[in-house]
mmCIF file of all heavy atoms in Angstrom:
data_model
loop_
_atom_site.group_PDB
_atom_site.id
_atom_site.type_symbol
_atom_site.label_atom_id
_atom_site.label_comp_id
_atom_site.label_asym_id
_atom_site.label_seq_id
_atom_site.Cartn_x
_atom_site.Cartn_y
_atom_site.Cartn_z
ATOM 1 N N PRO A 67 32.477 198.674 75.305
ATOM 2 C CA PRO A 67 33.943 198.744 75.312
ATOM 3 C C PRO A 67 34.627 197.391 75.531
ATOM 4 O O PRO A 67 35.670 197.311 76.164
ATOM 5 C CB PRO A 67 34.223 199.706 76.470
ATOM 6 C CG PRO A 67 33.110 199.460 77.420
ATOM 7 C CD PRO A 67 31.899 199.178 76.552
ATOM 8 N N ASN A 68 34.039 196.318 74.999
ATOM 9 C CA ASN A 68 34.623 194.990 75.171
ATOM 10 C C ASN A 68 35.157 194.429 73.862
ATOM 11 O O ASN A 68 35.221 193.226 73.666
ATOM 12 C CB ASN A 68 33.604 194.026 75.787
ATOM 13 C CG ASN A 68 32.401 193.808 74.886
ATOM 14 O OD1 ASN A 68 32.316 194.343 73.796
ATOM 15 N ND2 ASN A 68 31.458 193.017 75.363
ATOM 16 N N CYS A 69 35.563 195.307 72.962
ATOM 17 C CA CYS A 69 36.041 194.919 71.643
ATOM 18 C C CYS A 69 37.070 195.938 71.170
ATOM 19 O O CYS A 69 36.925 197.137 71.424
ATOM 20 C CB CYS A 69 34.859 194.885 70.671
ATOM 21 S SG CYS A 69 35.302 194.600 68.943
ATOM 22 N N VAL A 70 38.107 195.441 70.505
ATOM 23 C CA VAL A 70 39.075 196.317 69.844
ATOM 24 C C VAL A 70 39.288 195.794 68.429
ATOM 25 O O VAL A 70 39.169 194.592 68.179
ATOM 26 C CB VAL A 70 40.431 196.398 70.596
ATOM 27 C CG1 VAL A 70 40.261 197.097 71.932
ATOM 28 C CG2 VAL A 70 41.063 195.030 70.770
ATOM 29 N N ASP A 130 36.513 184.805 74.571
ATOM 30 C CA ASP A 130 36.657 185.939 73.667
ATOM 31 C C ASP A 130 37.022 185.405 72.288
ATOM 32 O O ASP A 130 37.679 184.372 72.167
ATOM 33 C CB ASP A 130 37.773 186.890 74.129
ATOM 34 C CG ASP A 130 37.476 187.558 75.457
ATOM 35 O OD1 ASP A 130 36.308 187.567 75.879
ATOM 36 O OD2 ASP A 130 38.418 188.077 76.068
ATOM 37 N N SER A 145 39.403 191.694 68.373
ATOM 38 C CA SER A 145 39.243 190.825 69.528
ATOM 39 C C SER A 145 38.050 191.333 70.325
ATOM 40 O O SER A 145 37.992 192.517 70.666
ATOM 41 C CB SER A 145 40.519 190.831 70.383
ATOM 42 O OG SER A 145 40.448 189.858 71.400
ATOM 43 N N ALA A 146 37.090 190.430 70.601
ATOM 44 C CA ALA A 146 35.854 190.845 71.255
ATOM 45 C C ALA A 146 35.376 189.796 72.257
ATOM 46 O O ALA A 146 35.520 188.595 72.031
ATOM 47 C CB ALA A 146 34.756 191.072 70.212
ATOM 48 N N SER A 147 34.800 190.272 73.353
ATOM 49 C CA SER A 147 34.208 189.394 74.362
ATOM 50 C C SER A 147 32.832 188.942 73.906
ATOM 51 O O SER A 147 32.109 189.692 73.255
ATOM 52 C CB SER A 147 34.073 190.134 75.693
ATOM 53 O OG SER A 147 35.334 190.549 76.142
ATOM 54 N N GLY A 150 29.034 190.339 78.476
ATOM 55 C CA GLY A 150 29.425 191.456 79.335
ATOM 56 C C GLY A 150 29.554 192.755 78.576
ATOM 57 O O GLY A 150 29.606 192.798 77.351
ATOM 58 N N TYR A 151 29.618 193.811 79.327
ATOM 59 C CA TYR A 151 29.756 195.145 78.752
ATOM 60 C C TYR A 151 31.224 195.533 78.665
ATOM 61 O O TYR A 151 31.705 195.950 77.628
ATOM 62 C CB TYR A 151 28.975 196.159 79.611
ATOM 63 C CG TYR A 151 29.082 197.564 79.094
ATOM 64 C CD1 TYR A 151 28.358 197.959 77.975
ATOM 65 C CD2 TYR A 151 29.895 198.497 79.719
ATOM 66 C CE1 TYR A 151 28.458 199.255 77.483
ATOM 67 C CE2 TYR A 151 30.000 199.786 79.239
ATOM 68 C CZ TYR A 151 29.278 200.163 78.120
ATOM 69 O OH TYR A 151 29.390 201.438 77.637
ATOM 70 N N SER A 152 31.941 195.367 79.741
ATOM 71 C CA SER A 152 33.361 195.714 79.777
ATOM 72 C C SER A 152 34.197 194.450 79.873
ATOM 73 O O SER A 152 33.785 193.443 80.452
ATOM 74 C CB SER A 152 33.655 196.611 80.982
ATOM 75 O OG SER A 152 35.045 196.836 81.088
ATOM 76 N N ASP A 153 35.376 194.501 79.294
ATOM 77 C CA ASP A 153 36.314 193.380 79.397
ATOM 78 C C ASP A 153 37.515 193.750 80.258
ATOM 79 O O ASP A 153 38.471 192.988 80.335
ATOM 80 C CB ASP A 153 36.778 192.938 78.016
ATOM 81 C CG ASP A 153 37.604 194.008 77.318
ATOM 82 O OD1 ASP A 153 37.669 195.153 77.817
ATOM 83 O OD2 ASP A 153 38.182 193.710 76.272
ATOM 84 N N LEU A 154 37.455 194.934 80.889
ATOM 85 C CA LEU A 154 38.538 195.433 81.748
ATOM 86 C C LEU A 154 39.866 195.489 81.002
ATOM 87 O O LEU A 154 40.928 195.308 81.585
ATOM 88 C CB LEU A 154 38.657 194.591 83.020
ATOM 89 C CG LEU A 154 37.395 194.515 83.879
ATOM 90 C CD1 LEU A 154 37.594 193.568 85.048
ATOM 91 C CD2 LEU A 154 36.969 195.894 84.336
ATOM 92 N N GLY A 155 39.810 195.708 79.690
ATOM 93 C CA GLY A 155 41.018 195.866 78.875
ATOM 94 C C GLY A 155 41.648 194.568 78.404
ATOM 95 O O GLY A 155 42.734 194.585 77.811
ATOM 96 N N ALA A 156 40.994 193.434 78.610
ATOM 97 C CA ALA A 156 41.587 192.130 78.261
ATOM 98 C C ALA A 156 41.846 192.004 76.761
ATOM 99 O O ALA A 156 42.906 191.490 76.357
ATOM 100 C CB ALA A 156 40.676 190.996 78.731
ATOM 101 N N ASN A 157 40.936 192.455 75.921
ATOM 102 C CA ASN A 157 41.127 192.312 74.481
ATOM 103 C C ASN A 157 42.260 193.202 73.966
ATOM 104 O O ASN A 157 43.042 192.783 73.121
ATOM 105 C CB ASN A 157 39.815 192.583 73.741
ATOM 106 C CG ASN A 157 38.844 191.440 73.930
ATOM 107 O OD1 ASN A 157 39.112 190.325 73.529
ATOM 108 N ND2 ASN A 157 37.721 191.716 74.575
ATOM 109 N N ARG A 158 42.368 194.406 74.488
ATOM 110 C CA ARG A 158 43.477 195.290 74.098
ATOM 111 C C ARG A 158 44.813 194.685 74.536
ATOM 112 O O ARG A 158 45.781 194.675 73.771
ATOM 113 C CB ARG A 158 43.285 196.685 74.698
ATOM 114 C CG ARG A 158 44.356 197.687 74.267
ATOM 115 C CD ARG A 158 44.012 199.095 74.702
ATOM 116 N NE ARG A 158 42.760 199.554 74.131
ATOM 117 C CZ ARG A 158 42.621 200.045 72.893
ATOM 118 N NH1 ARG A 158 43.659 200.135 72.110
ATOM 119 N NH2 ARG A 158 41.447 200.449 72.468
ATOM 120 N N ARG A 159 44.874 194.156 75.752
ATOM 121 C CA ARG A 159 46.110 193.515 76.220
ATOM 122 C C ARG A 159 46.464 192.314 75.350
ATOM 123 O O ARG A 159 47.641 192.069 75.076
ATOM 124 C CB ARG A 159 45.984 193.104 77.684
ATOM 125 C CG ARG A 159 46.070 194.281 78.653
ATOM 126 C CD ARG A 159 46.185 193.831 80.099
ATOM 127 N NE ARG A 159 45.091 192.969 80.549
ATOM 128 C CZ ARG A 159 43.924 193.409 81.001
ATOM 129 N NH1 ARG A 159 43.692 194.716 81.082
ATOM 130 N NH2 ARG A 159 42.987 192.549 81.401
ATOM 131 N N ARG A 160 45.470 191.564 74.914
ATOM 132 C CA ARG A 160 45.712 190.404 74.054
ATOM 133 C C ARG A 160 46.366 190.835 72.741
ATOM 134 O O ARG A 160 47.336 190.236 72.284
ATOM 135 C CB ARG A 160 44.407 189.672 73.770
ATOM 136 C CG ARG A 160 44.569 188.492 72.832
ATOM 137 C CD ARG A 160 43.298 187.684 72.685
ATOM 138 N NE ARG A 160 42.892 187.205 74.001
ATOM 139 C CZ ARG A 160 41.780 187.590 74.621
ATOM 140 N NH1 ARG A 160 40.944 188.424 74.047
ATOM 141 N NH2 ARG A 160 41.485 187.132 75.807
#
Side-chain angles (χ1 to χ4, degrees):
N68 63 1
C69 173
V70 293
D130 295 343
S145 188
S147 300
Y151 179 76
S152 174
D153 66 350
L154 302 175
N157 287 298
R158 183 171 300 279
R159 285 190 303 276
R160 177 173 301 114

